[in-house]
Each structure stands twice: as structure tokens, then as C-alpha cells.
Amino acid sequence: MTRQEILIELKKVLSPYTLDKEALATIDENTDLIKDLKINSANLVDIIIDAETKYNIEIDYDAADKMVNVGGCIDVIEEKTNQQT
């Protein structure tokens, strides 16, 4: 799975939690989940759980700490899915 493919799928994961839908349409790897997308910090756990389910991966605490922006999320998903092969 390419980074672009992960980004497209990640938008679907983030959508229910994003208050700024306009910003979601134009996200890139530098987009901050809380500042740019206006995602409530309490929902970050829900996003991690949804990503774990979608990609059939387990995200540990260290990896979760990296998921503050879109690029960090892609890095973690890419790393965890590559560990499965």
C-alpha cells in the first residue's frame, strides 16, 4: 500500500471526528490533527482504534505518540502493515 493510498483511506477514518470538513479535503502529510482539522484530543483514541480495525494492526503507546499529524499517522500505519508481511 502506497502512502497516497493510505492517505485516501485515512481521510475516511478521520472524517467522523473532523470538525473542519473543508480542511479534511485538502490534507497533506503536514496537516495537524488537532490544530488544522479541529479534532478533539479525546477523539484521538477513537481514531487509533478505528485505524487498528481498518488496517488490522496494533498500535502501541510509542506509535500512538507519533500520530499527531497526517504524516505521522501514515508512518505508523505503513510501519505496522509492513511488519505483517
Side-chain angles (χ1 to χ4, degrees), residues 25-58:
T26 61
I27 64 172
D28 62 28
E29 292 199 24
N30 296 314
T31 302
D32 186 282
L33 300 182
I34 295 173
K35 294 176 190 167
D36 299 326
L37 298 180
K38 310 292 189 261
I39 294 175
N40 181 316
S41 60
N43 289 129
L44 293 179
V45 172
D46 297 319
I47 291 167
I48 291 167
I49 292 168
D50 289 354
E52 286 178 324
T53 301
K54 175 148 195 71
Y55 296 101
N56 194 30
I57 57 176
E58 187 174 320

Side-chain angles (χ1 to χ4, degrees), residues 68-84:
V68 294
N69 61 26
V70 172
C73 292
I74 293 171
D75 289 343
V76 169
I77 292 166
E78 196 172 46
E79 176 188 331
K80 297 296 182 180
T81 54
N82 286 339
Q83 287 177 355
Q84 293 176 338

